[in-house]
Amino acid sequence: MNTWLKIASNSDFSIYNLPFGIFSTSKNKPKIGTRIGDFVIDLEQLRKLGLLQIPHNIFNQSSLNPFIGLGKKRTNNVRLQIQKWLCEDNSPLKKHFDHVFHKIENIKMHLPVKIGDYTDFYSSIEHATNAGKIFRPDNPLFPNWKHIPIAYHGRASSIVISGTPIHRPKGQFKPADASSPVFGPTKEMDFELEIGAIIGKNSSHGESINISESEDYVFGLVLFNDWSARDIQRWETLPLGPFLGKNFASSISPWVVTMESLSPFRVESPTQDPAPLPYLKVDGKRNFDINLEVKLGNNIISETNFKQMYWSIAQQISHHTINGCNLKIGDLLASGTISGSEPNSYGSMLELSWGGKNPIKLKNGETRTYLKDGDEVIISGFCKKNEIRVGFGEVSGRILPAIS
Amino acid sequence: MNTWLKIASNSDFSIYNLPFGIFSTSKNKPKIGTRIGDFVIDLEQLRKLGLLQIPHNIFNQSSLNPFIGLGKKRTNNVRLQIQKWLCEDNSPLKKHFDHVFHKIENIKMHLPVKIGDYTDFYSSIEHATNAGKIFRPDNPLFPNWKHIPIAYHGRASSIVISGTPIHRPKGQFKPADASSPVFGPTKEMDFELEIGAIIGKNSSHGESINISESEDYVFGLVLFNDWSARDIQRWETLPLGPFLGKNFASSISPWVVTMESLSPFRVESPTQDPAPLPYLKVDGKRNFDINLEVKLGNNIISETNFKQMYWSIAQQISHHTINGCNLKIGDLLASGTISGSEPNSYGSMLELSWGGKNPIKLKNGETRTYLKDGDEVIISGFCKKNEIRVGFGEVSGRILPAIS
């Protein structure tokens, strides 16, 4: 496909992508747009011009939820129509260019969806094994791990848009040599490299989603950073799992990349041994080849890929609903930390510094075990196959000192 | 106080109560009402008659959230105004009786709030010790328990109104004698007797709520049954805590009993030893004397009280926000299972049958370890001091067979 718009050849937002997000300008309240190159296309404006046949009060919203609720056929038709116009010389987009295109530097992005429930999985075998080795050297992977896409519920209220600064959380933790817990700002501030699936269809309470249909319930994917305070987490986690060590903030990338635009990048899932129970068995290409990178300031500290995840999104959804738990449009299912097998492919400081034992070196001569105040973490991701590139942009956040 | 309305002396919904909830009739969509005796008072109707100075689109809603958002002063003024009218002989409520009173048998109740995030605490020392003894005889109470109001995030989407039948969930679990997990309907279906606090005020992301102000963030309390599937929970729970063993359903009572109406029933909290960290230290009467009862059909299987909870709601809120996690209007903070020290005061089948080892006897000669299909669990609760009675009504649910 060729578009008449000039787009950098390495842009994440190629003609093949056209993700959806919520933007505002100095003149306009938040509404729905799509992105191409360094421009945002104002979908509400296109509707007002009579060019998109979408009910009013869909695009003019501060979340994608009502739009997603129209169903994949209609939402993807919008994407395909824009794509067509961007390739046609005689195009209404060209004609109305000044009314519907905004330069990316003139807009502000917002949370793309109103998130009802947020679930965090734990689906990378490398991460689960690493975390296990660090915390429980004798028993790294629990016996249930290869049978269950392990997950827990997270906090939806504290999910913020990329770029939001994150205050170092305070809390209680117990130093190894102390007899009782102490209070203060976390000393083990961490990030977690994840990908989040945005649910695109409601399921009924009581209903189990068959695995062959489970991807129909995903609208698209985002990058996700599940900030963590390891010392707080370690002290609180028994017996009910992580709570304050996680729920102070998570960051999300602004553009939801649709399942349709990711379909060229599907790959086979890793072999699962032992075979999972029948409700988790699935054929076809259920994983996605997404290159991922984490920068700490201008240092690339991790490079990995989403394709080797042990449990696929399809399996996560069938597991989540096998007991009748209902999913709602806008729910977020995050992958859990994505780590590769090499030390430079780990998706958290916990793993990169091996529990704080092996500091990593930065270009400026400093070292890090966990994050310092002022550190900025930037996660980016893209897919590439032949000349087709579809990317996520980035999710970033800078650590601010604890509020006193 | 004396009202001109005839109310049974043992009614939970006395002149001192006046809780808020969402009701509908065969003619009207869901809207806000209060309850007195066996009547629901239609607040939207009172507003329309010009008797309550409340903005339109507050009472005429399917959740209490916008009403709660008016703030405690205004919401309690509505309650006090109704209370006054119910005591005055020459009252507009009497004059407009047929327009504003609905008999309880003619209305249907709905979920009272739109729940954003749901957190489940673990604040009964008796329950935590019992559960610990059953699962880990050597280590019943973890070292963190007396320092932290332990909690985890639950699922908001599957919270249902009292009376909703609950399908037995399916899932995987691992019988003690099996080498790998099996799939099927849970064999260990359980209830959990809890009380839930409905958050009444937004906090800011990054803000920690000082414990002296933390109760300002509670609108009122409800009864709560956190249905559980123990076999599913046991197999999945390491290392991230409960997930599918809990998130298939929780049930909530329809009337939110306000903090103001509960204030006569405040009692001192139990002594905490060791003393908690300063951010969790609080003076005054922070616990509530609420009598609780669980019936399985017509068998009373547990009688206990909310007053002995080790961690108070005030402490739960300060802990929840100490790391900057934000609370939102309509969030639900549940207490965790409420158990007393005697075997007939335990708040779950897990404890009542001691992990399935000691079946309990029913009046009809049957026994139970966990719940059978067809069993109905009815939790009720009330406060009583001198002639003042303020109650919650009940939260009930019947177990239906698993969906095949």
Side-chain angles (χ1 to χ4, degrees):
Chain A
M1 279 187 283
N2 282 309
T3 166
W4 42 263
L5 196 71
K6 268 198 186 162
I7 301 169
S9 63
N10 67 344
S11 174
D12 280 353
F13 303 102
S14 70
I15 185 73
Y16 300 99
N17 192 346
L18 298 170
F20 294 101
I22 301 293
F23 76 100
S24 64
T25 68
S26 56
K27 289 178 193 164
N28 288 108
K29 284 198 298 184
K31 53 182 166 175
I32 299 184
T34 183
R35 179 154 174 191
I36 176 85
D38 290 336
F39 291 94
V40 171
I41 301 178
D42 184 333
L43 298 180
E44 171 64 3
Q45 204 59 37
L46 286 176
R47 188 199 64 80
K48 277 190 184 163
L49 289 165
L51 293 167
L52 291 173
Q53 305 306 314
I54 291 289
H56 91 113
N57 263 338
I58 292 284
F59 289 138
N60 209 8
Q61 293 280 344
S62 61
S63 86
L64 293 176
N65 299 42
F67 176 62
I68 295 174
L70 296 177
K72 277 189 182 229
K73 196 175 163 192
R74 294 184 74 182
T75 56
N76 196 44
N77 276 346
V78 169
R79 188 177 151 265
L80 295 177
Q81 180 62 69
I82 304 280
Q83 203 169 52
K84 188 162 164 276
W85 282 332
L86 282 166
C87 294
E88 284 176 358
D89 253 349
N90 191 4
S91 151
L93 286 187
K94 227 176 185 176
K95 185 174 162 197
H96 298 286
F97 191 89
D98 290 345
H99 283 89
V100 297
F101 284 74
H102 298 273
K103 282 188 190 161
I104 197 74
E105 60 263 34
N106 296 335
I107 62 100
K108 189 185 161 189
M109 295 303 295
H110 302 266
L111 268 188
V113 280
K114 197 165 151 41
I115 299 165
D117 281 292
Y118 150 46
T119 301
D120 200 19
F121 282 84
Y122 189 56
S123 291
S124 155
I125 194 165
E126 291 81 6
H127 171 68
T129 306
N130 289 340
K133 280 183 188 166
I134 294 166
F135 291 129
R136 303 171 302 275
D138 51 330
N139 188 16
L141 212 57
F142 284 109
N144 56 13
W145 200 90
K146 287 191 171 183
H147 297 280
I148 293 179
I150 292 286
Y152 67 105
H153 292 293
R155 181 88 192 170
S157 73
S158 55
I159 297 177
V160 296
I161 190 65
S162 176
T164 308
I166 308 297
H167 281 282
R168 180 178 294 270
K170 294 172 292 184
Q172 56 170 289
F173 44 89
K174 193 167 153 298
D177 54 354
S179 61
S180 50
V182 298
F183 178 81
T186 175
K187 293 178 176 172
E188 300 183 9
M189 180 74 191
D190 204 352
F191 71 89
E192 288 191 330
L193 162 62
E194 305 198 17
I195 278 185
I198 304 289
I199 294 298
K201 189 172 160 183
N202 296 325
S203 71
S204 304
H205 193 189
E207 175 188 0
S208 302
I209 299 174
N210 190 289
I211 194 155
S212 64
E213 291 161 12
S214 61
E215 284 180 7
D216 298 347
Y217 288 77
V218 185
F219 178 71
L221 306 185
V222 292
L223 301 172
F224 190 69
N225 180 348
D226 193 27
W227 303 98
S228 300
R230 300 296 178 190
D231 40 10
I232 295 172
Q233 182 186 348
R234 201 161 47 238
W235 173 230
E236 74 183 351
T237 203
L238 285 174
L240 300 180
F243 184 55
L244 297 187
K246 297 279 193 175
N247 69 8
F248 58 92
S250 309
S251 302
I252 194 176
S253 61
W255 294 104
V256 185
V257 178
T258 66
M259 291 302 268
E260 292 82 3
S261 62
L262 290 167
S263 109
F265 312 103
R266 286 178 174 276
V267 291
E268 296 289 340
S269 304
T271 306
Q272 295 185 314
D273 180 22
L277 284 163
Y279 78 94
L280 293 171
K281 271 192 191 148
V282 64
D283 295 328
K285 297 179 170 180
R286 301 299 178 162
N287 278 37
F288 294 88
D289 182 358
I290 305 174
N291 301 288
L292 296 163
E293 179 190 274
V294 185
K295 286 199 293 186
L296 201 169
N298 61 358
N299 302 271
I300 296 171
I301 59 171
S302 181
E303 288 176 286
T304 185
N305 196 298
F306 191 50
K307 71 183 172 190
Q308 77 265 25
M309 296 298 275
Y310 191 87
W311 294 104
S312 64
I313 294 168
Q315 291 175 315
Q316 290 169 351
I317 288 176
S318 281
H319 185 65
H320 205 318
T321 60
I322 188 63
N323 67 346
C325 178
N326 52 326
L327 301 181
K328 285 186 172 177
I329 289 169
D331 286 349
L332 178 72
L333 271 54
S335 59
T337 306
I338 304 163
S339 290
S341 51
E342 298 304 313
N344 63 353
S345 66
Y346 296 163
S348 66
M349 294 302 288
L350 172 75
E351 295 162 87
L352 289 166
S353 76
W354 208 255
K357 284 184 200 141
N358 306 331
I360 60 169
K361 287 180 185 132
L362 306 184
K363 286 181 190 169
N364 64 1
E366 293 185 15
T367 61
R368 286 290 182 284
T369 49
Y370 292 98
L371 300 172
K372 283 196 173 176
D373 292 347
D375 281 354
E376 186 182 30
V377 176
I378 305 150
I379 294 172
S380 58
F382 68 92
C383 308
K384 197 161 186 336
K385 192 176 177 183
N386 306 325
E387 89 286 15
I388 304 179
R389 181 175 167 128
V390 168
F392 291 79
E394 62 182 41
V395 58
S396 70
R398 190 182 293 278
I399 308 303
L400 299 184
I403 296 173
S404 60
Chain B
M1 279 187 284
N2 283 308
T3 166
W4 41 263
L5 196 71
K6 269 199 184 158
I7 301 169
S9 63
N10 67 346
S11 175
D12 280 352
F13 303 102
S14 71
I15 186 73
Y16 299 98
N17 191 347
L18 298 169
F20 295 101
I22 301 292
F23 76 99
S24 64
T25 67
S26 56
K27 288 177 194 164
N28 288 108
K29 284 197 299 183
K31 53 182 167 175
I32 299 184
T34 183
R35 178 152 174 190
I36 177 84
D38 290 335
F39 291 95
V40 171
I41 301 179
D42 184 333
L43 297 180
E44 171 64 4
Q45 203 61 37
L46 286 175
R47 187 198 65 80
K48 277 191 183 163
L49 290 165
L51 293 166
L52 291 173
Q53 304 307 313
I54 291 288
H56 90 112
N57 262 338
I58 292 284
F59 289 139
N60 209 8
Q61 293 281 344
S62 61
S63 86
L64 293 175
N65 299 42
F67 176 62
I68 295 173
L70 296 176
K72 276 188 183 231
K73 196 176 163 191
R74 294 184 75 182
T75 56
N76 196 44
N77 276 346
V78 169
R79 187 176 151 265
L80 295 175
Q81 180 62 71
I82 304 281
Q83 203 169 51
K84 189 163 164 274
W85 283 332
L86 283 166
C87 294
E88 284 176 357
D89 253 350
N90 190 4
S91 152
L93 285 188
K94 229 176 184 175
K95 186 175 160 197
H96 299 287
F97 191 90
D98 291 345
H99 283 90
V100 298
F101 284 73
H102 299 272
K103 283 189 189 158
I104 197 72
E105 60 263 35
N106 296 334
I107 62 100
K108 188 186 162 189
M109 295 303 293
H110 303 266
L111 267 189
V113 280
K114 195 166 151 43
I115 299 165
D117 281 292
Y118 150 47
T119 301
D120 200 18
F121 282 85
Y122 190 57
S123 290
S124 156
I125 195 165
E126 291 82 4
H127 170 68
T129 307
N130 288 340
K133 280 183 188 165
I134 294 166
F135 290 129
R136 304 172 300 275
D138 51 330
N139 188 16
L141 212 55
F142 283 109
N144 57 12
W145 200 89
K146 286 191 172 183
H147 297 280
I148 293 178
I150 292 285
Y152 68 105
H153 292 293
R155 180 90 193 168
S157 72
S158 55
I159 297 176
V160 296
I161 190 67
S162 175
T164 308
I166 308 296
H167 282 281
R168 179 177 295 269
K170 296 171 292 183
Q172 55 170 292
F173 44 88
K174 192 167 154 298
D177 55 354
S179 60
S180 50
V182 298
F183 178 83
T186 176
K187 292 178 176 172
E188 299 183 11
M189 180 75 189
D190 204 351
F191 70 89
E192 288 191 330
L193 162 62
E194 304 198 19
I195 277 185
I198 304 289
I199 294 299
K201 190 173 159 182
N202 295 325
S203 70
S204 304
H205 193 190
E207 175 188 1
S208 301
I209 300 173
N210 191 290
I211 194 155
S212 64
E213 292 161 14
S214 62
E215 284 180 6
D216 298 347
Y217 288 78
V218 184
F219 177 72
L221 306 186
V222 291
L223 301 173
F224 190 69
N225 180 349
D226 193 28
W227 302 99
S228 300
R230 300 297 178 191
D231 40 9
I232 295 173
Q233 183 185 348
R234 202 161 46 240
W235 172 230
E236 74 184 351
T237 202
L238 286 176
L240 300 179
F243 184 56
L244 296 187
K246 296 280 192 174
N247 69 8
F248 58 93
S250 308
S251 301
I252 193 174
S253 62
W255 294 105
V256 184
V257 178
T258 67
M259 291 303 269
E260 292 82 3
S261 61
L262 291 167
S263 114
F265 312 104
R266 286 177 173 277
V267 292
E268 297 288 341
S269 305
T271 306
Q272 295 186 314
D273 181 21
L277 283 163
Y279 79 95
L280 293 171
K281 270 192 190 147
V282 65
D283 295 329
K285 298 179 170 180
R286 303 297 179 164
N287 278 37
F288 295 87
D289 182 358
I290 305 174
N291 302 288
L292 296 164
E293 180 189 274
V294 185
K295 286 199 291 187
L296 201 170
N298 60 356
N299 303 269
I300 296 172
I301 59 171
S302 181
E303 287 177 287
T304 186
N305 195 297
F306 190 50
K307 70 182 171 191
Q308 77 266 25
M309 295 299 274
Y310 191 88
W311 294 105
S312 64
I313 294 169
Q315 292 176 314
Q316 290 169 350
I317 286 177
S318 281
H319 185 66
H320 205 317
T321 60
I322 189 62
N323 67 347
C325 178
N326 52 326
L327 301 181
K328 286 186 170 176
I329 289 169
D331 287 348
L332 178 72
L333 270 55
S335 60
T337 306
I338 303 162
S339 290
S341 51
E342 299 303 312
N344 62 353
S345 66
Y346 296 164
S348 66
M349 294 302 288
L350 173 76
E351 295 162 87
L352 290 165
S353 75
W354 208 256
K357 285 185 199 138
N358 307 331
I360 61 169
K361 286 180 185 131
L362 306 183
K363 286 179 189 170
N364 63 1
E366 292 185 16
T367 61
R368 287 289 183 285
T369 50
Y370 293 98
L371 300 172
K372 282 195 173 177
D373 292 346
D375 281 354
E376 187 182 31
V377 176
I378 305 151
I379 294 172
S380 57
F382 68 94
C383 308
K384 198 162 187 335
K385 191 176 178 182
N386 306 322
E387 89 287 14
I388 304 179
R389 181 174 166 128
V390 169
F392 290 80
E394 62 181 41
V395 57
S396 69
R398 190 182 293 279
I399 308 303
L400 299 185
I403 296 174
S404 61

